[in-house]
Amino acid sequence: MALRPLIVGNWKMNGTRATLAEARAIDRAAARHPAVEVGLAPSFTLVMAMAEAAQDIAVGGQDCHVKPSGAFTGDVAAAQLADAGASFAIVGHSERRALHGESDALVQAKAEAALGEGLAVIVCVGETEAERDAGQAEAVVAGQLAGSLPTAEGAAARLAVAYEPVWAIGTGRVPSVDDVGAMHRAIRARLGAAYGEAGAAVRILYGGSVNAANAAELLAADEVSGALVGGASLTAESFSAIIAAAAQQQDG
Ligand code: PEP
């Protein structure tokens, strides 16, 4: 099934109001390529302003809390994200898993919370370098999927999975196209087992050092239906080139 490509930028802890000019330029690039769905996930501080400025991109959060409100200092609820104009949330990013100790069960609860507030959700999975070297990459990712995927009725319709090998994030290193394809095929099979036919419509994004130079090759790998992009999403120049690469693939 040919899925509409989804290209999402994760700005991590970068960006101030001055950076909204980049988001506006990315928005204009998205307008030029309607065959591609484009999203940006800035820090919470910028979600509302970016959502107000954006016309052709979706704006999302990089995380959300499992509860709708309460005494959780520093956290942001999915309902608050939606209220600020977000339409999706990223959950289970490897930096949250590693630096904030997030378990699969917590990631799953966050995904359910986001869906419950009407947001789409991107669930991130990916192995460490040691796990890949030990030949455990597919087993690790399968375990993360089993523990993190939302199970709510209709979840698959608003779900994307981002495969992000931890060792490729921010390092400039990427897996071979064959390895990306093999992992994405394995993820597709798990999605089928989890959601039945609906699993075929879930987009599987590749993430980890995607840039303007390697995007076309990575996006062409088997079962890759988009990209989750960190560093190269911070400027319109590099992110627009990735959006254009996805659009070109649709045309070709
Ligand atoms: C990410 O953190 O989601 C990511 C893919 O980062 P980068 O593109 O910078 O490797």
Side-chain angles (χ1 to χ4, degrees):
M1 182 194 293
L3 302 174
R4 186 181 180 210
L6 173 62
I7 304 293
V8 177
N10 170 15
W11 276 14
K12 309 195 185 192
M13 199 173 71
N14 296 293
T16 59
R17 283 177 297 166
T19 337
L20 287 173
E22 294 296 332
R24 286 194 195 90
I26 290 167
D27 193 47
R28 291 193 292 276
R32 289 194 293 277
H33 298 295
V36 180
E37 189 176 336
V38 179
L40 274 183
S43 296
F44 293 131
T45 53
L46 288 179
V47 167
M48 187 181 291
M50 195 182 283
E52 283 173 0
Q55 298 194 346
D56 290 279
I57 58 172
V59 177
Q62 298 170 13
D63 180 41
C64 67
H65 198 271
V66 295
K67 300 279 190 189
S69 62
F72 303 103
T73 302
D75 282 313
V76 172
Q80 293 176 307
L81 273 178
D83 180 59
S87 59
F88 72 93
I90 297 170
V91 297
H93 190 280
S94 64
E95 287 152 15
R96 303 274 335 159
R97 289 177 184 265
L99 304 175
H100 297 265
E102 295 195 0
S103 65
D104 288 333
L106 182 63
V107 173
Q108 183 181 53
K110 289 183 173 199
E112 306 274 9
L115 291 169
E117 294 299 336
L119 300 174
V121 69
I122 300 173
V123 174
C124 302
V125 294
E127 81 285 357
T128 63
E129 186 159 31
E131 289 163 343
R132 176 155 286 272
D133 288 348
Q136 295 168 346
E138 282 192 21
V140 166
V141 168
Q144 290 173 331
L145 290 171
S148 317
L149 287 178
T151 57
E153 181 74 29
R158 281 182 288 131
L159 172 70
V161 170
Y163 167 56
E164 301 203 298
V166 177
W167 51 272
I169 292 180
T171 60
R173 298 167 57 207
V174 291
S176 70
V177 171
D178 282 353
D179 283 349
V180 171
M183 184 63 86
H184 279 235
R185 283 193 299 276
I187 293 172
R188 177 66 67 210
R190 299 276 161 185
L191 290 170
Y195 301 116
E197 275 183 22
V202 175
R203 285 173 293 190
I204 309 173
L205 316 182
Y206 169 76
S209 294
V210 176
N211 58 40
N214 64 19
E217 187 181 37
L218 290 163
L219 288 168
D222 227 12
E223 292 288 1
V224 172
S225 27
L228 181 54
V229 184
S233 71
L234 291 173
T235 66
E237 189 184 1
S238 52
F239 198 48
S240 301
I242 296 168
I243 296 167
Q248 208 160 21
Q249 212 131 57
Q250 285 295 91
D251 295 344

